[in-house]
Amino acid sequence: MIWLLIALPPLAVALAYRRAPLFHWLVAGVAWLAVAAAAGGWNVLVALVVIGLFAGVMLFLMNDGMRRTNLTAPILKAFRKALPSMSQTERDALEAGSVWWEGDLFGGRPKWTRMLDYPWPKLTTEEQRFLDEDTTELCRLTRDWEATQKQDLPPEVWRYIKERGFLGMIIPKEYGGKGFSAYAHSQVVTKLSTRSSAPAVTVMVPNSLGPAELLLHYGTEAQKSHYLPRLARGEDIPAFALTSPWAGSDAASIPDAGVVCKGMYQGQEVLGMRVSFDKRYITLAPVCTVFGLAFRLFDPDHLLGDTEDIGITCALVPWNHPGVDIGRRHFPLNAVWMNGPIRGAEVFMPLDFIIGGPDMAGQGWRMLMECLAAGRSISLPGSNTGMQKMTARAVGAYARVRYQFKTAIGRFEGVEEALTRIGANTYMCDAARVFTAGAIDLGEKPSVVSAIVKYHVTERARQTVNDGMDVIGGKGICLGPQNFLGRAYQQIPVGITVEGANILTRSLILFGQGAVRCHPYVLDEMHSAQANDLVAFDKALWGHVGYTLSNAARALVMGLTGSHFVDVPADVAPETRRYYQQLTRFSAAFAYIADISMGTMGGALKRKEKLSARLGDILSLMYLASATLRRFEAEGRRAEDAPLMHWAIWDCMFRIQLAFEGVIANFPSRFFAFFIRRVVVFPLGRPYVVPSDELGHEVARLLIAPSATRDRLTSDVYLPKDDLEDPVGALEAALLATIEAEPIEARVKQALRDKRFSAGLHIGDGIDGIYADAAEAGVITPQELAVIRRKGALRDKVIRVDDFPYDFGLREALADLSDDDQQLRREAA
């Protein structure tokens, strides 16, 4: 078999860099067999027979009529039998939205020049002003702790939100809105989230999946003209009611239903619907004035046509419409933003309530999926990136100001690990957020990408906030106005849960939907099989076969050569060149293993959720790495930012390897598992290890000192000016004071070691008494002592935690009790 191993690389090289038509496979195959015969010392007759057989097979495949009749037709018959039935709802979910950069990554041939040509989003002058002025002012008006105690934003904040047009950012100017880009929308949500979730979510939801978005794309002109100006001015507050107690992640199974019938509306008999619904978790429901409603519509009397089960339909319903029960609220982890149930039984509403009018009855699920692809790309990625930016800024400063064992805690290696993850994850998530918002502004509705950024940004935000809580320790666990991270920690699970629970998204959506939407042939195979179209199926099938073999050959060649010969754009940063090459290699290997998985497991792959999740991890991590590389190029390849980029990419690459290993180790076919690992994916071993400690040290160092890099990493974090009672404002001042005091402190400590003065004379000054002793001994000047004391005062502000009367929060309850009962309650407390 030595000759086979000798002859295989030339064939692989010949086929690796093109999706060759069958004629090229014939020529290359005959040449390969000739080389193999010569190298192996075959008998001439044997060699001719083998070459003849191969040529005969290839000529058969090249004959369209013979191939289709004798080979493709039986395969089509078997494929149609194995293909599971697909409801219209499932079809809508699979086909909704568009395929963008993730398609290149899934296909095994990422065109890096195209990715680098995607414009990096920028704000217009008007959008920048709104961010710098209006959004900053809204942050200033918001006091999260005060709002938490009242469980609502103050009236003046609500008024400001409405008057300044925050609820109409996506509404075009012709309807009175701002007409902002998706990137501007994302920037506003991100900045608000650095201050409080209350204004962020209040602003986010009306500009995401909701009435305005649906009206813009599907509403009638009458609906647009009536509602959009009112929504833009804040006269109407919208909500959207989708989730029910019996259908959460499986939203397509909503039991809420309506029946087409005639009824009375505004004194006249009209054709309408009688709808019963029970919705929960509806953001802004308690205060909304109009809400979108998703339900399944039936027409048993055929008043609209021949179809009885019309399908999921979306309607727009005023809050005070007869029969609507609205106004109560939930408390999602004690969040301030409004959220609650919406219910109704046998509520009659005219067909004109349907978004888009009666013609759009039954089109609701596709409408929702397409709008979700856009909204999910902006809302949670924006809000959770904002949390990470605030964490990076504040925790980094705290780690420099807070001392233990006579050392800033940020200089301990254990704390450095947490700071490193905070910094690199924030850099990468912000890159993915901006990159994806840019896709929306290019007109894309990337359903798979929206799931990727929703899942990974919220998961990494959870890691970031957890790391931040670990660093600040006791400061983080005592709630109060001085706690800058506790409320974010409380509410992180909300982002994990909504807009597609993360477990479901990872297990079923990232690869499950990606395999159909991003694959260049699978969807065409499914459509042609369902239509029983032999010609179209033949084209898709054999294109798929060539695609799979080509990716296997390319992955093998790149694995054996370490991907050193992969072409990448000449103008990329030299220090990132190897990343592009390795990502190309991983992309080809992923495309091959995805095809082998689908081919060997078929429909059973859908039930192999752990395998599907790991395949989704590979696709997702390649996307995150791509976004990180694009950001590094867009921001001018700054050397001082490079540690953030390098750590994030190394982390992605290492995780990609782990995901490959997880797939291979659990692959049902051990033959394919061995072949994939040893031949296709890791023929020379795994190229990446965990990011180095030295690199992590460089990243952590960026968080604990003022710099342009730190400012870029935490751009648009709301920083209160000259407000030392605000915990973030105090941290900013304390960081500068600490850095100013450090050389003075070092000089005093050295003087103490040199026994130039005696400590302990100013015990009443607490931990800073030593510096008063040093000043008295002439080691430092009075001015330097003032610097130390200012630093100490700011440090004490930063590390303090809040305390309250023991009956805080119980006073109203105690007021209604007798004296004896009050005493019992106090003793219990």
Side-chain angles (χ1 to χ4, degrees), residues 299 369 528 635 706 749:
D299 185 15
M369 291 299 97
S528 57
E635 294 183 347
K749 290 174 183 176

Side-chain angles (χ1 to χ4, degrees), residues 590-724:
F590 169 76
Y592 176 71
I593 199 172
D595 270 329
I596 292 298
S597 300
M598 290 187 284
T600 58
M601 285 178 268
L605 181 58
K606 184 178 181 180
R607 297 184 293 276
K608 297 283 187 180
E609 294 178 18
K610 296 174 186 176
L611 282 178
S612 180
R614 295 179 186 116
L615 289 167
D617 289 342
I618 299 170
L619 177 63
S620 301
L621 290 163
M622 290 192 296
Y623 181 82
L624 294 179
S626 300
T628 303
L629 290 170
R630 183 67 187 91
R631 174 181 183 173
F632 188 67
E633 290 290 334
E635 294 183 347
R637 309 176 183 177
R638 292 184 172 95
E640 57 271 30
D641 295 2
L644 295 162
M645 177 273 295
H646 285 303
W647 200 97
I649 296 290
W650 271 85
D651 183 60
C652 276
M653 296 296 202
F654 181 71
R655 289 172 186 246
I656 288 171
Q657 291 178 164
L658 290 181
F660 269 123
E661 287 287 5
V663 172
I664 294 167
N666 293 279
F667 207 80
S669 168
R670 301 317 302 158
F671 168 77
F672 278 114
F674 176 83
F675 181 76
I676 291 167
R677 173 187 279 116
R678 297 301 183 189
V679 178
V680 178
V681 182
F682 300 125
L684 300 180
R686 300 191 306 185
Y688 283 93
V689 295
V690 295
S692 71
D693 290 345
E694 181 180 354
L695 181 59
H697 171 70
E698 293 182 47
V699 173
R701 206 171 48 174
L702 292 172
L703 267 63
I704 64 174
S707 68
T709 294
R710 181 172 178 262
D711 290 341
R712 282 188 293 272
L713 179 67
T714 61
S715 60
D716 296 317
V717 171
Y718 174 70
L719 301 174
K721 293 183 178 179
D722 303 321
D723 185 358
L724 298 183

Side-chain angles (χ1 to χ4, degrees), residues 246-282:
W246 305 277
S249 296
D250 185 15
S253 299
I254 52 174
D256 313 281
V259 176
V260 178
C261 62
K262 292 183 178 180
M264 300 299 295
Y265 178 68
Q266 295 182 344
Q268 296 182 346
E269 185 179 62
V270 298
L271 189 60
M273 311 162 287
R274 197 167 299 281
V275 187
S276 294
F277 48 94
D278 185 356
K279 305 291 190 178
R280 64 179 182 181
Y281 310 148
I282 311 306

Side-chain angles (χ1 to χ4, degrees), residues 481-673:
Q482 295 305 311
N483 189 330
F484 57 85
L485 197 56
R487 297 287 286 140
Y489 178 76
Q490 276 185 307
Q491 294 170 42
I492 275 287
V494 175
I496 301 294
T497 303
V498 302
E499 293 188 8
N502 278 9
I503 288 179
L504 173 144
T505 298
R506 178 173 178 261
S507 301
L508 299 179
I509 303 299
L510 297 181
F511 180 76
Q513 188 174 11
V516 177
R517 291 295 287 129
C518 301
H519 196 287
Y521 295 103
V522 166
L523 195 58
D524 290 339
E525 287 170 335
M526 293 173 62
H527 284 165
S528 57
Q530 289 165 345
N532 203 21
D533 185 336
L534 179 61
V535 174
F537 183 78
D538 178 80
K539 180 180 178 181
L541 173 66
W542 295 106
H544 192 163
V545 171
Y547 160 86
T548 302
L549 294 175
S550 177
N551 277 323
R554 293 176 64 249
L556 170 61
V557 171
M558 287 186 281
L560 291 173
T561 61
S563 69
H564 282 283
F565 301 104
V566 175
D567 288 334
V568 297
D571 56 347
V572 299
E575 63 267 37
T576 65
R577 181 177 179 82
R578 289 292 294 141
Y579 298 147
Y580 289 94
Q581 292 178 325
Q582 292 284 25
L583 281 171
T584 302
R585 170 193 170 182
F586 284 152
S587 175
F590 169 76
Y592 176 71
I593 199 172
D595 270 329
I596 292 298
S597 300
M598 290 187 284
T600 58
M601 285 178 268
L605 181 58
K606 184 178 181 180
R607 297 184 293 276
K608 297 283 187 180
E609 294 178 18
K610 296 174 186 176
L611 282 178
S612 180
R614 295 179 186 116
L615 289 167
D617 289 342
I618 299 170
L619 177 63
S620 301
L621 290 163
M622 290 192 296
Y623 181 82
L624 294 179
S626 300
T628 303
L629 290 170
R630 183 67 187 91
R631 174 181 183 173
F632 188 67
E633 290 290 334
E635 294 183 347
R637 309 176 183 177
R638 292 184 172 95
E640 57 271 30
D641 295 2
L644 295 162
M645 177 273 295
H646 285 303
W647 200 97
I649 296 290
W650 271 85
D651 183 60
C652 276
M653 296 296 202
F654 181 71
R655 289 172 186 246
I656 288 171
Q657 291 178 164
L658 290 181
F660 269 123
E661 287 287 5
V663 172
I664 294 167
N666 293 279
F667 207 80
S669 168
R670 301 317 302 158
F671 168 77
F672 278 114

